[in-house]
Amino acid sequence: MHVLRDEVANDFSLALKAELLLNSGYAAWGITLDGATPKKPQWIKTHLSHKVPTICLVRDPIDILISALNYNTKCQNTSEYILTHLQALRTSGAVPYATTIGFYANYKQIEPFVKEILYIDMKELVGESALGGMEKVASFLGFALPKNQDFNIRVNDWLTRVMPITLTINGHKIFVSVFEGHFSSSDAFPLYHAKDKCLYIKKDYTHHLFPNNKFYISTTSKHFPDTLYSELFKIIDSQIKMIYDETKLYIDNKVTLEVFISTLEAHPKVAYDLAEVIEKQIIHLKEKCPQIVESWGSYKMFLTMLESK
């Protein structure tokens, strides 16, 4: 269950992911909070009747803000863009930066319903650390991880956001995805947990423009003729080249840590305001999980910049 902001869903209606309805064996349901925004505490009271285990996902606040700035595919690595969009993020919720770095404000919404809490840094849930992080989550919630599950995947990055490629050749509907299964971070009906009924033409297709990615090529047809392979891969290669050209423009213009810090250094009023907000939002983290806060390299760089002024 995903408690959406009111600009996303009226009356905080539940966004119940469709794939949950396609599976069996779920023993528990969870509520995910999408930032500290008005009306949400009352919503939570309506949908929670007892105390529950709680997971508090945290991340370096400077990295969060830069990621938020780069979520716009037309982002620009300029001070003007950074300042304009930081102001928009600052006013997006019940407290400053509520939908990005409002750790404490978000926690306070559910504090009356917390039975026990696990603090986990997002670094523990990506890349090669993902399996260990998921084992920690599973142990906390009391369930076993699925066997042979690859947790080292990226969702909602600059490549997955434009996938899958869909095309039709001679009546055969084709999907090209960076995941096994027809899945995109923007799918309204994702099937990455459901039974995969696709016929896979190739599961490990690679392209020189994306050497670190494998592409899964599948069809909804029961058979795909060998005579179409050559034409199919020519089309796929041209589509991947188009994606590369689009994403390269994004990558070349995304906000960097260095420009973000230098922008705030040149605008001390914005920097000190941000520092004050962050301090209020992480004060409980310093007490409960100081090792996580200590590991935040970008935040340390931000503080060093402030100390030098």
Side-chain angles (χ1 to χ4, degrees):
M1 300 182 185
H2 196 177
V3 189
L4 298 173
R5 300 193 297 275
D6 52 0
E7 66 265 30
V8 180
N10 294 330
D11 301 322
F12 296 105
S13 56
L14 295 181
L16 186 60
K17 289 295 186 180
E19 74 273 14
L20 294 178
L21 299 177
L22 301 174
N23 290 270
S24 60
Y26 284 92
W29 297 85
I31 292 178
T32 300
L33 298 185
D34 189 20
T37 48
K39 304 178 184 177
K40 199 167 293 178
Q42 184 58 44
W43 188 99
I44 297 169
K45 288 180 180 179
T46 303
H47 291 83
L48 276 180
S49 58
H50 57 280
K51 292 189 176 184
V52 295
T54 303
I55 298 174
C56 182
L57 294 178
V58 297
R59 185 185 176 195
D60 186 314
I62 300 302
D63 289 342
I64 290 177
L65 292 173
I66 292 175
S67 290
L69 296 175
N70 286 330
Y71 187 78
N72 184 341
T73 55
K74 295 183 180 179
C75 56
Q76 299 174 25
N77 196 22
T78 64
S79 293
E80 181 180 3
Y81 175 87
I82 291 170
L83 292 171
T84 298
H85 287 78
L86 268 183
Q87 178 59 22
L89 291 172
R90 191 187 191 285
T91 57
S92 62
V95 298
Y97 300 101
T99 58
T100 49
I101 58 174
F103 304 127
Y104 188 63
N106 209 23
Y107 166 73
K108 289 297 288 184
Q109 295 179 119
I110 60 169
E111 185 180 33
F113 303 98
V114 174
K115 180 180 180 181
E116 53 184 337
I117 189 166
L118 170 68
Y119 293 92
I120 189 165
D121 192 282
M122 288 301 297
K123 292 195 300 291
E124 299 179 69
L125 299 177
V126 296
E128 295 181 357
S129 301
L131 178 58
M134 289 304 297
E135 287 175 341
K136 183 184 295 187
V137 170
S139 175
F140 175 73
L141 294 177
F143 64 85
L145 288 181
K147 295 180 180 179
N148 302 318
Q149 174 68 49
D150 180 15
F151 292 103
N152 186 7
I153 62 175
R154 297 181 68 86
V155 178
N156 205 25
D157 63 4
W158 51 269
L159 178 59
T160 60
R161 286 172 64 190
V162 295
M163 300 297 278
I165 299 171
T166 59
L167 55 97
T168 302
I169 177 170
N170 283 35
H172 299 277
K173 193 170 184 179
I174 306 294
F175 299 100
V176 183
S177 177
V178 290
F179 301 107
E180 188 170 355
H182 172 205
F183 170 68
S184 161
S185 60
S186 60
D187 277 348
F189 195 74
L191 301 177
Y192 56 98
H193 285 314
K195 185 177 181 180
D196 188 357
K197 298 180 180 180
C198 291
L199 169 68
Y200 281 89
I201 299 169
K202 196 169 181 64
K203 284 191 174 185
D204 57 353
Y205 186 68
T206 57
H207 195 282
H208 70 279
L209 294 176
F210 296 102
N212 297 321
N213 291 94
K214 288 193 303 183
F215 293 92
Y216 296 85
I217 304 171
S218 61
T219 178
T220 53
S221 300
K222 293 183 178 180
H223 172 72
F224 188 78
D226 294 346
T227 54
L228 293 177
Y229 270 54
S230 178
E231 182 182 356
L232 172 64
F233 285 106
K234 285 181 181 178
I235 296 173
I236 290 174
D237 283 349
S238 67
Q239 292 285 317
I240 290 177
K241 176 62 166 62
M242 291 174 60
I243 289 176
Y244 175 79
D245 291 340
E246 293 175 1
T247 54
K248 187 177 186 305
L249 181 64
Y250 163 74
I251 292 170
D252 291 344
N253 288 282
K254 67 179 183 179
V255 176
T256 63
L257 174 61
E258 292 73 22
V259 173
F260 183 87
I261 295 294
S262 64
T263 295
L264 293 180
E265 185 174 19
H267 297 82
K269 184 176 180 179
V270 177
Y272 284 116
D273 173 74
L274 176 58
E276 183 178 350
V277 171
I278 293 176
E279 179 62 25
K280 290 179 180 178
Q281 294 299 327
I282 69 171
I283 190 167
H284 68 304
L285 302 181
K286 288 182 175 181
E287 177 185 350
K288 302 295 185 180
C289 52
Q291 74 285 357
I292 291 180
V293 177
E294 183 62 27
S295 72
W296 290 342
S298 299
Y299 180 54
K300 283 183 179 179
M301 187 180 297
F302 171 68
L303 293 179
T304 300
M305 178 273 291
L306 289 179
E307 292 170 358
S308 68
K309 294 190 69 63

